[in-house]
Amino acid sequence: MTDTPKRHMKDQIYDIFLGRIQRGEIGPDVRLVDTAVAAEFNVSRMPVRDALMRLTHEGYLDSTTRGFTLPNLDTRQIREIFELRRLLEPRAAALATARLTENDLTRLRDAVARAEQTLETGEIETLFAASEDIRRTWIMAVPNKELRDTILRYMAQIQAVRMATLRDAEAHRTLVDLQRRLLQALEARDAAAVELLLLRYVLAGEDSFLRLHPPSADSDAS
């Protein structure tokens, strides 16, 4: 009788860092160096390199001469991701509405409460973490696996954008208000209201980004 083979270390490292990226635990200023990651897991550089290169090929990371970072997107790419979000996320959130468990709703209430507190404290990192918790909770309840995985795939690419827009005081107030209203709609299992509020949430983030980074005449012409 043979033992069941263990999963390769490179696959374990891939799963760990994919989870860290999707939970927002790796920020835009973090640089992943293979030697440091290898030391963390007490392994050679080879499985680490394989895992990080796989994440790069799948669009979760960028490879540089000094390590791996979250993707550094130009304005055109960011605007296209917002377009993708407008198309996918409202419907996905509506589909998730009926699938949320009581534990999910408890997590959402806690995250919204933390986000509301930042209106007084101004702690943007707390707001970022709360927003990621809200987003991940409803995404993981989406019953359509292909839709869920598609949304998760570009999650890392919008984290740097999210941090920038959350520092906009006007957007801060608007987004927290929409988070509060989204929670109420999810608690009421009102899928139509959830779909509309999620669209407004994405549009508010996009408006903030465009206000902070107005498109140039050259980019409009290209």
Side-chain angles (χ1 to χ4, degrees), residues 113-125:
R114 286 185 282 124
E116 289 176 329
Q117 291 173 357
T118 66
L119 292 173
E120 296 182 3
T121 65
E123 295 176 352
I124 300 303
E125 289 74 14

Side-chain angles (χ1 to χ4, degrees), residues 164-166 168 171 175 203-213:
T165 56
L166 291 179
D168 176 10
L175 293 176
L203 287 171
E206 184 175 14
D207 287 345
S208 174
F209 175 79
L210 292 177
R211 186 167 61 252
L212 297 171
H213 306 86

Side-chain angles (χ1 to χ4, degrees), residues 29-96:
D29 297 328
V30 172
R31 188 173 301 277
L32 301 173
V33 179
D34 54 7
T35 52
V37 176
E40 177 184 351
F41 292 93
N42 194 27
V43 297
S44 69
R45 291 175 58 191
M46 186 59 68
V48 172
R49 189 84 182 167
D50 287 345
L52 297 180
M53 287 304 299
R54 179 180 171 189
L55 289 166
T56 299
H57 291 152
E58 294 179 358
Y60 292 104
L61 294 173
D62 275 349
S63 176
T64 73
T65 56
R66 294 187 295 160
F68 298 81
T69 64
L70 293 183
N72 183 20
L73 306 177
D74 60 32
T75 301
R76 176 192 60 78
Q77 291 172 302
I78 292 170
R79 293 172 71 181
E80 289 178 352
I81 288 175
F82 272 118
E83 182 177 14
L84 189 62
R85 293 184 65 192
R86 292 198 307 270
L87 292 170
L88 297 181
E89 293 187 19
R91 181 57 183 162
L95 292 173

Side-chain angles (χ1 to χ4, degrees), residues 103-123:
N103 285 338
D104 291 333
L105 291 173
T106 297
R107 283 194 293 270
L108 288 167
R109 293 181 189 110
D110 175 71
V112 170
R114 286 185 282 124
E116 289 176 329
Q117 291 173 357
T118 66
L119 292 173
E120 296 182 3
T121 65
E123 295 176 352

